[in-house]
Amino acid sequence: AIIQRGCKAPEQQLTVVLMLATLISAFGSSFQYGYNVAVINSPSQFIQQFYNTTYVERYGGPMEDSFLTLLWSLSVSMFPLGGLFGSLMVAPLVNKLGRKGTLLFNNIFSVVPAVMMGVSEIAKSYEIIIVARIIVGICAGLSSNVVPMYLGELSPKNLRGAIGVVPQLFITIGILSAQVLGIRSILGNNTGWPLMLGLTGIPALVELLLLPFFPESPRYMLIQRGDDKTARRALQRLRGWEDVDREMDEMRLEHQSEQAEGRLSVLNLLSLRSLRWQLISIVAMNMGQQLSGINAIYYYADSIYSSAGVPESDIQYVTVGTGAVNVFMTITAVFIVEAAGRRLLLLIGFGICCVSCALLTVALTFQESTEWMPYVSIACVIVYVVGHAVGPSTIPYVVTTEMFRQSSRPAAFMVAGSIHWLSNFTVGLVFPFMESGLGSNSFIIFCFVCLATLFYIWLIVPETKNKTFLEISQMFADRNQVEIQVGNAPLKPETGDGREGDAFKVTAF
């Protein structure tokens, strides 16, 4: 067969089916990730009181401070550890159950721990909370990888960036929701915290009820299942029109170009020369995202607000305000990512974070001796949050989807997710020691991480907006020193106006 594309493809619109599939999957899965990141922070003193009271009732004496600190550290750190386990499950589950099927299955890891945490006070067991945090971490590890993969495969190329940012938007909304519910007068108190922890099951139930009515990824159905009819029907529902031949042809071409590779495992991915720079790039971006200091900024925020004269009782409201800024800037990223492009937002975001960390180091050093310096510290925190929301928080998920084709995407997300959660866990483990040893100078290290990531993106990562997955692979082919074959001929990328340079031959479908 010969495929000739002589005209530019029409810009595809956001249909109701695509919009609802995006909102339901992001609310049901990504929202939980954000919610469980922050839910344990506000009521921490009351949960620790519960740990101590339970211990006294069991053993007749108070818990030692060192043991309480250990239990609390486990309660916090088990979440990213569960996230790592969840990331390691991504490839086998999405290949076996599909993208939508994995999201539905993943809700087991939300509903079960929600019930466990909700009844922990009645059961008088702090062990239940620690185990539940591991399980809900598995849910977050799966959802943080599978939702961007699912939505990236549902989306037309001209909307893929904007829709790809939506999961991160719902993560920030989840964080903000936990911060609001954690206000002392709402649920962040001695009686409300079990309900607050248990509410994570509600989004899972919504997703279980509604997501089955929406289509599975057409790419998964066609390329991995070989089900042409179901893939075409799903694509027609998602695009809102009957003529989807052009997109079906593009998927078939992608399938042909990677048939020799088969379904790639992580070991295959690590050894494949044609994917070398894509793999290095997602590792660099995910490490940069987590090692850039975002967790440390939130750790320091309360003390910064306090030193600026914010009353202790009002700090919780300022924290909610910071969360609202994060949500607003992520919404902004949804609307500008297709116009500005992925690369520019990453460069701007890491640049802002780099400068903010440097200035924050100076401000924290002199805030005891200079009266107005604490206000500079607050400004640095807010500007850092803005920069991180625009680029480092949002774009790596989008780019991970775009850099890999169907056979390698599950393994790529498995690697990216593992790096993400390992880095998250490392920062949580190492930062308290950094802070005690280096104090405010800790942010210089984060500054250099941001700068190194910025230079890597500037030198290596290409712009991927409005490109097909096959075209993006071709952009990396030159750097990897390989040639992508379609049938017996190399792939010829599109010209700048969206038309293909020449007709090219492919084997019959």
Side-chain angles (χ1 to χ4, degrees):
I2 296 179
I3 297 175
Q4 174 84 48
R5 296 183 202 151
C7 59
K8 189 175 180 179
E11 289 290 293
Q12 295 177 357
Q13 303 300 313
L14 181 63
T15 59
V16 173
V17 172
L18 179 56
M19 180 182 69
L20 290 177
T22 300
L23 295 177
I24 290 165
S25 57
F27 174 68
S29 295
S30 302
F31 178 90
Q32 294 184 64
Y33 171 14
Y35 185 82
N36 285 294
V37 164
V39 72
I40 206 164
N41 295 338
S42 298
S44 59
Q45 68 184 83
F46 303 109
I47 300 174
Q48 289 179 63
Q49 284 174 14
F50 161 69
Y51 286 10
N52 200 31
T53 304
T54 303
Y55 188 89
V56 169
E57 289 177 1
R58 285 185 192 175
Y59 305 109
M63 186 183 291
E64 291 184 12
D65 288 344
S66 59
F67 187 54
L68 178 60
T69 302
L70 174 63
L71 286 180
W72 185 248
S73 298
L74 286 172
S75 303
V76 174
S77 62
M78 287 301 101
F79 180 72
L81 189 62
L84 174 61
F85 294 152
S87 294
L88 295 174
M89 296 162 63
V90 168
L93 283 178
V94 296
N95 287 328
K96 179 74 174 175
L97 304 177
R99 282 61 167 147
K100 185 182 83 169
T102 301
L103 290 177
L104 292 171
F105 173 76
N106 189 34
N107 287 309
I108 295 171
F109 300 116
S110 175
V111 174
V112 171
V115 173
M116 290 170 68
M117 290 187 288
V119 302
S120 58
E121 189 178 35
I122 298 169
K124 298 188 183 302
S125 171
Y126 45 75
E127 294 89 349
I128 285 180
I129 294 177
I130 295 170
V131 172
R133 289 285 290 175
I134 299 177
I135 299 171
V136 84
I138 292 173
C139 173
L142 278 166
S143 65
S144 64
N145 292 290
V146 180
V147 177
M149 190 191 307
Y150 176 56
L151 296 182
E153 293 180 9
L154 294 189
S155 308
K157 64 181 182 180
N158 62 299
L159 295 175
R160 198 167 55 224
I163 289 175
V165 173
V166 171
Q168 181 61 32
L169 171 60
F170 273 84
I171 291 172
T172 62
I173 293 172
I175 292 171
L176 179 60
S177 300
Q179 290 170 339
V180 170
L181 291 174
I183 292 172
R184 295 286 182 268
S185 58
I186 304 177
L187 290 177
N189 51 54
N190 200 35
T191 57
W193 66 263
L195 175 59
M196 188 176 167
L197 295 183
L199 286 176
T200 186
I202 291 177
L205 293 175
V206 171
E207 186 173 55
L208 277 170
L209 287 171
L210 298 180
L211 193 60
F213 297 103
F214 293 87
E216 177 57 272
S217 160
R219 288 180 176 274
Y220 171 76
M221 296 309 300
L222 179 67
I223 298 175
Q224 290 182 245
R225 285 290 184 87
D227 191 342
D228 191 291
K229 191 176 293 184
T230 304
R232 179 179 291 275
R233 200 160 50 239
L235 208 52
Q236 287 169 339
R237 285 186 66 197
L238 290 163
R239 300 295 176 259
W241 57 55
E242 294 295 311
D243 184 10
V244 292
D245 288 343
R246 186 186 185 91
E247 210 166 343
M248 292 288 289
D249 289 343
E250 183 262 313
M251 286 192 281
R252 292 189 185 103
L253 280 173
E254 181 183 337
H255 180 42
Q256 279 200 318
S257 72
E258 59 183 1
Q259 269 183 327
E261 296 170 3
R263 189 180 299 166
L264 296 180
S265 67
V266 171
L267 289 176
N268 296 143
L269 185 68
L270 294 173
S271 62
L272 205 61
R273 183 175 174 178
S274 63
L275 296 172
R276 182 177 300 162
W277 281 103
Q278 293 95 310
L279 189 64
I280 295 170
S281 296
I282 64 166
V283 168
M285 284 186 287
N286 278 279
M287 286 184 69
Q289 180 195 60
Q290 290 300 308
L291 302 181
S292 60
I294 184 65
N295 295 325
I297 287 282
Y298 282 121
Y299 178 89
Y300 250 97
D302 284 5
S303 63
I304 290 170
Y305 299 147
S306 181
S307 66
V310 178
E312 195 71 30
S313 59
D314 292 341
I315 286 177
Q316 57 185 336
Y317 301 108
V318 180
T319 302
V320 169
T322 307
V325 169
N326 198 6
V327 171
F328 176 76
M329 291 311 302
T330 309
I331 292 171
T332 303
V334 172
F335 289 101
I336 66 174
V337 65
E338 293 299 351
R342 290 69 157 138
R343 189 171 181 270
L344 181 61
L345 290 183
L346 283 169
L347 292 172
I348 290 172
F350 277 109
I352 290 172
C353 291
C354 178
V355 173
S356 298
C357 284
L359 292 177
L360 185 59
T361 304
V362 175
L364 290 173
T365 302
F366 292 105
Q367 73 176 12
E368 295 295 330
S369 57
T370 309
E371 187 178 338
W372 48 267
M373 200 58 81
Y375 301 104
V376 176
S377 299
I378 290 179
C380 287
V381 168
I382 293 170
V383 171
Y384 181 97
V385 168
V386 167
H388 210 273
V390 165
S393 286
T394 53
I395 306 301
Y397 297 107
V398 178
V399 176
T400 302
T401 302
E402 294 180 325
M403 282 186 177
F404 295 88
R405 290 175 287 162
Q406 199 71 19
S407 64
S408 53
R409 193 172 295 125
F413 265 98
M414 198 163 155
V415 171
S418 300
I419 294 295
H420 171 100
W421 289 102
L422 268 175
S423 301
N424 187 316
F425 182 73
T426 302
V427 170
L429 198 65
V430 172
F431 180 72
F433 299 100
M434 281 176 56
E435 196 272 331
S436 62
L438 298 174
S440 59
N441 292 325
S442 305
F443 288 98
I444 285 293
I445 295 173
F446 299 128
C447 177
F448 280 112
V449 169
C450 292
L451 189 62
T453 311
L454 186 151
F455 273 115
Y456 179 87
I457 292 165
W458 183 46
L459 293 171
I460 303 296
V461 178
E463 181 52 68
T464 58
K465 72 170 183 177
N466 213 25
K467 302 285 186 185
T468 66
F469 296 126
L470 200 52
E471 288 163 0
I472 294 165
S473 295
Q474 179 63 26
M475 290 163 68
F476 274 99
D478 295 335
R479 186 173 293 279
N480 290 322
Q481 298 181 333
V482 297
E483 192 174 71
I484 295 177
Q485 296 286 334
V486 180
N488 296 317
L491 172 68
K492 297 188 178 182
E494 289 186 353
T495 59
D497 61 358
R499 293 174 301 172
E500 196 171 27
D502 296 297
F504 55 86
K505 292 186 178 181
V506 296
T507 52
F509 302 131

